[in-house]
Amino acid sequence: MPIATMGAVRTMAPHELEDIQTSVDPEAGQILLSNTYHLYLKPGEKILQELEGIHGLMNWPHSVLTDSGGFQVFSLSNMATISDDGVDFRSHRDGSLHHMTPERSMEIQSAIGSDIWMAFDQFPGYPATVEQVEASVIRTSAWASRCQNWFKQYMKSRPAGSHQLFGIVQGSTYSDHRRASVEQLLALNFDGYAVGGLAVGEPADVLYEVLEMTTPLLPGDKPRYLMGVGPPEQILEAIKRGIDMFDCVIPTRNARHGNVFIHSTEHSDKLVEADLSEARYSKLNIRAEQFSSDSLPLDPDCHCQTCLAPYSRAYIRHLFTVNEPLAARLCTVHNVHFYMQFMKEIRDIISA
Ligand SMILES: [Zn+2]
């Protein structure tokens, strides 16, 4: 899922994202991720409701998953105060005081009108003590139950399956607490399960260990979603450990800094080894001096609009040098296409 935190995949129009996804894999479902916390602050629930939610706001006819806002409340806001009821926090925008609860998160996600909602969870921080993690798991389960109650009531008057609610597993790096979190969430029977509290600065081997202790406990017939990951090789390793869904800012954020993903020179045909053993790619920082007169496209083996045009490395580097927003946009188109192509190749290998 590309990330449209505030209702836009930065620098890219929704129809451009649709074009990329369609050109890479016309059979695949299209989905993006947006964020409850940010959309709650701006444009706010009232405007979202008037415009028929985020689908109307963005004119995006495909699926949207919204993060619950839990992570942002704890990581972005000033002075978050947590109680069993919810969280008091100050907006990172204007310092205004807000109260977020599991029920409010559900109400806001209903105003956003997203297709997949996330339960409001408590991230314990990283690293976290065993006491902090235990408290976070207990609270996350209690809040998940309140979200599920609200959601079931809401869905009584709507077509079954028209919205889905996922629970978020916490437990940090502690296997006992990951297991407890999974068991408590499974009892609530969510439509899918996310592994949360990762991609927060832990080493890759810790990430893989947590997945090995967590994903086998989650039902294989429901989506398993790893939040916030990551570089291509970590996505591949997570898929091998049972993960189905991802979101990450890396393709878009890196693009805005001129960091682009390309086919590796030795293996220009595929981005993934046929046995899923390795992601095959290289990275360029297109702002480097060495590209100042390079007439090649970013990646001669890429079929994105930036590379097909083709716009040269020298042109894109020049655009960065003169702070032209088109530079970020051309690289964003390329990197999002790269990630979509990478995932498509993995899906094809799994299908085969
Ligand atoms: Zn490209």
Side-chain angles (χ1 to χ4, degrees):
M1 293 177 282
I3 297 191
T5 302
M6 306 193 207
V9 176
R10 279 200 187 163
T11 76
M12 180 184 281
H15 72 267
E16 292 176 305
L17 177 62
E18 183 180 53
D19 289 347
I20 291 172
Q21 296 196 347
T22 304
S23 73
V24 170
D25 190 350
E27 306 292 316
Q30 300 202 15
I31 184 167
L32 56 75
L33 177 143
S34 194
N35 191 276
T36 301
Y37 169 85
H38 290 282
L39 293 176
Y40 160 72
L41 294 178
K42 273 187 190 303
E45 288 159 279
K46 186 168 174 291
I47 290 174
L48 281 162
Q49 273 161 341
E50 285 170 8
L51 296 174
E52 297 182 1
I54 190 165
H55 293 95
L57 179 73
M58 291 180 69
N59 191 18
W60 172 255
H62 308 292
S63 298
V64 175
L65 178 148
T66 36
D67 192 2
S68 66
F71 185 80
Q72 286 71 29
V73 163
F74 300 115
S75 62
L76 285 179
S77 72
N78 301 315
M79 294 169 43
T81 313
I82 310 168
S83 68
D84 287 341
D85 182 57
V87 184
D88 291 306
F89 66 96
R90 287 193 183 276
S91 159
H92 75 290
R93 286 187 172 274
D94 60 8
S96 55
L97 195 60
H98 301 266
H99 183 61
M100 185 73 81
T101 63
E103 291 80 9
R104 284 291 293 130
S105 178
M106 294 293 98
E107 278 173 21
I108 298 163
Q109 290 184 75
S110 75
I112 294 170
S114 46
D115 304 274
I116 301 175
W117 306 7
M118 302 303 297
F120 193 62
D121 61 325
Q122 192 209 321
F123 169 57
Y126 179 83
T129 66
V130 69
E131 290 80 14
Q132 289 169 323
V133 171
E134 186 170 18
S136 140
V137 167
I138 291 169
R139 191 163 274 144
T140 293
S141 297
W143 288 357
S145 175
R146 285 163 58 187
C147 287
Q148 183 67 290
N149 288 341
W150 195 99
F151 184 77
K152 278 185 177 159
Q153 199 61 36
Y154 177 79
M155 289 303 291
K156 276 183 181 166
S157 57
R158 286 168 178 80
S162 56
H163 301 276
Q164 301 202 345
L165 178 62
F166 285 17
I168 303 177
V169 178
Q170 291 292 346
S172 190
T173 55
Y174 302 91
S175 60
D176 290 353
H177 295 290
R178 283 283 173 189
R179 179 178 291 276
S181 184
V182 168
E183 284 170 359
Q184 289 159 24
L185 293 181
L186 287 182
L188 297 169
N189 194 25
F190 284 99
D191 297 306
Y193 296 88
V195 184
L198 293 171
V200 287
E202 76 284 355
D205 57 345
V206 171
L207 167 67
Y208 303 153
E209 274 170 36
V210 172
L211 292 179
E212 281 161 18
M213 67 175 78
T214 308
T215 48
L217 306 173
L218 296 170
D221 61 349
K222 290 188 173 176
R224 296 181 283 200
Y225 162 30
L226 175 56
M227 305 182 82
V229 170
E233 63 277 10
Q234 291 187 10
I235 288 181
L236 184 59
E237 291 305 314
I239 287 170
K240 289 195 280 190
R241 289 163 175 80
I243 296 293
D244 306 299
M245 297 173 64
F246 299 87
D247 75 276
C248 191
V249 295
I250 284 178
T252 46
R253 182 181 289 162
N254 282 15
R256 297 195 298 279
H257 294 103
N259 292 309
V260 294
F261 295 85
I262 62 170
H263 287 75
S264 65
T265 44
E266 313 99 279
H267 307 286
S268 60
D269 53 337
K270 292 286 179 191
L271 298 171
V272 188
E273 290 284 354
D275 60 358
L276 296 181
S277 59
E278 197 185 347
R280 307 197 297 208
Y281 71 101
S282 303
K283 286 193 280 191
L284 296 182
N285 189 324
I286 204 62
R287 293 180 305 172
E289 172 74 33
Q290 68 186 96
F291 300 116
S292 56
S293 57
D294 191 333
S295 60
L296 285 175
L298 291 176
D299 180 351
D301 296 304
C302 173
H303 295 95
C304 83
Q305 290 301 317
T306 299
C307 295
L308 281 182
Y311 299 112
S312 67
R313 293 171 176 182
Y315 178 50
I316 295 170
R317 177 182 184 274
H318 162 72
L319 296 176
F320 272 112
T321 308
V322 297
N323 291 322
E324 164 54 53
L326 180 59
R329 183 174 139 98
L330 293 175
C331 289
T332 300
V333 166
H334 170 82
N335 274 1
V336 169
H337 187 280
F338 173 95
Y339 263 69
M340 295 295 158
Q341 180 67 32
F342 179 72
M343 301 307 291
K344 157 93 164 91
E345 289 186 17
I346 295 173
R347 285 195 299 275
D348 287 347
I349 292 169
I350 292 172
S351 297

